[in-house]
Amino acid sequence: MTTRSQRVFGEVIATFLVAVLAIVHLPAVVGAQPYAVYLDVAADNQDGELAGGFSTTMTTDREQLGAALDVVRAAGVAPERYGTLARQYWLSVGAENAGIDLAEWDPARGLDANLDTVDKVYVNYLRLYNSHDGFWWTGMAGLAGMSFAAGFWDLDEVGGLLSVPGVHEVGTGVGGAMSGVPWELAAELPRDVRLLATAGPTLTRPDVDWYLHRLLIMQRNIFMDMVPMHEAYLAGGLPAVRELAAGGAYDDYALEAWRMLDEGSPDGRSEALLRMASREQNQIIADQWDVTAAGRGDFGRVLTYITTVGGAPDIPGASTLGEFRPLSVRADVNGQPTVLHTPLPAFNWADREPRWEYIEQDLVPAFRSLVRDRPEEAPRHLDVGFRPRAEQNRILVRLPVFAGQMASGWAVSPG
């Protein structure tokens, strides 16, 4: 029998064995449907918008997926035929290790139903960081998540209490500050700032709920993409990651990041950190940020800009978004060159290019410096309780100072 014939024969046998395996694992309930066939399964939940795994028709039971994976591997089936099975298996491993129920993790259920899972996602990133000395991306994701989770809590409470200091007051404060600025300078302010002042005070609870839903989807999408390859590497090293890549889950750019991480050098791990951050922001959720910023009329821009204004990643040495690129505008006022300095960021986090510039030029270098150059300091930041640390990052906790900065940090001077 030729090699090609042997391979075809092996795939036929594998298909038969997988079908037998599905029958063996049929639920005992009369009339229950059998589990989905494990080969050539399309991923209908690629972006994490729904409950379940990559395929909503495939089980998320770790043991069943693992057993099916053993069968197809033993039979020599090409990885591209069981790519969704492999990703689903490693996702189920990651979810189980994080204490997350994939069937219950549904962004459409809203923040209240998912708030415990929001925390578990970031706690799990920190767990992964502490499980391998090269998992720098998960450490950065965990620390950044302390601010991100705090933003979830803030938006939820602000959304429910729009009569107290919060989104309305930030918008009103910015509008009040703008009212004292010469019109020539005010006209030069970006559209996002003008929308914050005009549309911000009119936000409603449904607007905030819509935005929270978008954030929950993106958080889930990142977890689904990044966690399976970390779990695969922990269990099987580079060969396990290569198997996922061969199945179509990851491209050569991501695979090279894992090779560099596996190499073990500080330079290799630094590059792996940057590449994983780039995959997360420029490949996995870039389109979702675009849709979010363009959604719900003007409120997509208002809400994404509000979280940009409040952005303060809890990473030692990292700048706030306003510090990284403060907003200043220039214009002739009464014939004289004049400049307006503001406490606001000059970009919106939802926009691809400036978001990546901040991550590449500020966030990644700050975290890399911590773990590579000051490893003795890193545990003080990365071996901490998540919830207490995240609570300190809440805008509502910092609101008196924050609101004052937004209203008073404006200055007009000769330019």
Side-chain angles (χ1 to χ4, degrees):
M1 187 180 289
T2 65
T3 301
R4 175 178 173 77
S5 298
Q6 289 173 332
R7 181 174 178 179
V8 172
F9 179 73
E11 292 194 3
V12 170
I13 293 298
T15 302
F16 171 74
L17 290 175
V18 169
V20 170
L21 182 66
I23 293 171
V24 169
H25 286 290
L26 282 177
V29 180
V30 176
Q33 295 297 316
Y35 292 137
V37 176
Y38 295 104
L39 296 179
D40 305 314
V41 178
D44 63 351
N45 192 27
Q46 182 72 23
D47 297 332
E49 296 189 4
L50 307 172
F54 293 99
S55 168
T56 58
T57 61
M58 183 185 291
T59 181
T60 56
D61 183 272
R62 175 178 180 170
E63 291 186 4
Q64 292 184 36
L65 293 168
L69 200 51
D70 288 342
V71 169
V72 297
R73 284 171 176 161
V77 178
E80 59 265 25
R81 294 201 62 200
Y82 63 87
T84 301
L85 167 63
R87 287 189 90 185
Q88 193 105 329
Y89 170 71
W90 289 116
L91 175 63
S92 72
V93 171
E96 184 176 301
N97 289 339
I100 292 172
D101 184 343
L102 290 171
E104 294 296 317
W105 188 7
D106 182 0
R109 297 175 62 208
L111 182 61
D112 286 344
N114 288 287
L115 195 53
D116 187 51
T117 300
V118 168
D119 288 8
K120 287 179 178 179
V121 166
Y122 298 115
V123 170
N124 186 62
Y125 286 146
L126 295 176
R127 177 192 67 82
L128 284 168
Y129 169 80
N130 288 295
S131 69
H132 190 284
D133 59 6
F135 282 6
W136 290 2
W137 179 87
T138 62
M140 186 174 74
L143 284 188
M146 292 180 179
S147 302
F148 199 65
F152 271 117
W153 306 333
D154 285 333
L155 280 171
D156 184 52
E157 292 193 17
V158 169
L161 301 170
L162 289 172
S163 62
V164 302
V167 177
H168 282 189
E169 282 63 24
V170 172
T172 301
V174 170
M178 287 176 58
S179 67
V181 171
W183 69 265
E184 297 93 338
L185 289 167
E188 296 299 318
L189 288 170
R191 176 171 176 262
D192 285 343
V193 177
R194 297 197 301 271
L195 285 175
L196 177 59
T198 57
T202 69
L203 280 166
T204 65
R205 177 72 206 200
D207 300 321
V208 175
D209 285 343
W210 168 83
Y211 187 49
L212 288 169
H213 181 222
R214 298 298 307 168
L215 295 179
L216 288 167
I217 289 172
M218 285 186 273
Q219 185 204 39
R220 198 180 201 278
N221 194 8
I222 294 171
F223 182 97
M224 287 176 64
D225 183 78
M226 300 296 286
V227 168
M229 56 181 168
H230 281 82
E231 293 289 1
Y233 182 82
L234 278 178
L238 272 182
V241 177
R242 290 195 183 103
E243 179 186 44
L244 283 169
Y250 303 104
D251 57 16
D252 290 341
Y253 183 83
L255 194 57
E256 181 66 6
W258 282 99
R259 189 197 64 76
M260 293 174 172
L261 186 155
D262 187 69
E263 172 190 291
S265 71
D267 287 345
R269 288 177 173 177
S270 295
E271 180 63 20
L273 168 66
L274 185 66
R275 283 173 175 251
M276 290 184 187
S278 178
R279 176 175 177 82
E280 171 201 348
Q281 292 294 332
N282 298 325
Q283 292 178 254
I284 305 309
I285 59 170
D287 289 346
Q288 290 175 327
W289 271 124
D290 291 346
V291 170
T292 303
R296 210 164 177 85
D298 291 334
F299 291 131
R301 296 301 301 185
V302 171
L303 285 160
T304 52
Y305 189 62
I306 284 174
T307 46
T308 307
V309 169
D314 196 2
I315 294 176
S319 306
T320 66
L321 278 64
E323 291 169 342
F324 173 72
R325 186 165 293 170
L327 174 62
S328 297
V329 296
R330 289 174 170 78
D332 284 347
V333 178
N334 298 323
Q336 298 296 321
T338 308
V339 61
L340 168 65
H341 300 283
T342 81
L344 304 172
F347 66 100
N348 189 316
W349 177 260
D351 296 333
R352 298 187 184 206
E353 186 174 335
R355 178 175 71 244
W356 178 242
E357 288 173 352
Y358 171 75
I359 293 169
E360 181 183 35
Q361 298 171 24
D362 195 289
L363 198 66
V364 166
F367 187 79
R368 182 179 60 216
S369 175
L370 174 66
V371 295
R372 185 185 66 183
D373 305 330
R374 310 190 311 278
E376 71 288 344
E377 181 185 332
R380 297 210 317 264
H381 303 278
L382 290 153
D383 294 341
V384 298
F386 177 81
R387 169 69 67 155
R389 185 74 168 270
E391 286 284 359
Q392 297 173 12
N393 284 277
R394 301 188 63 175
I395 293 177
L396 289 179
V397 172
R398 300 181 282 118
L399 192 59
V401 173
F402 177 73
Q405 291 172 339
M406 292 304 99
S408 64
W410 300 63
V412 176
S413 61

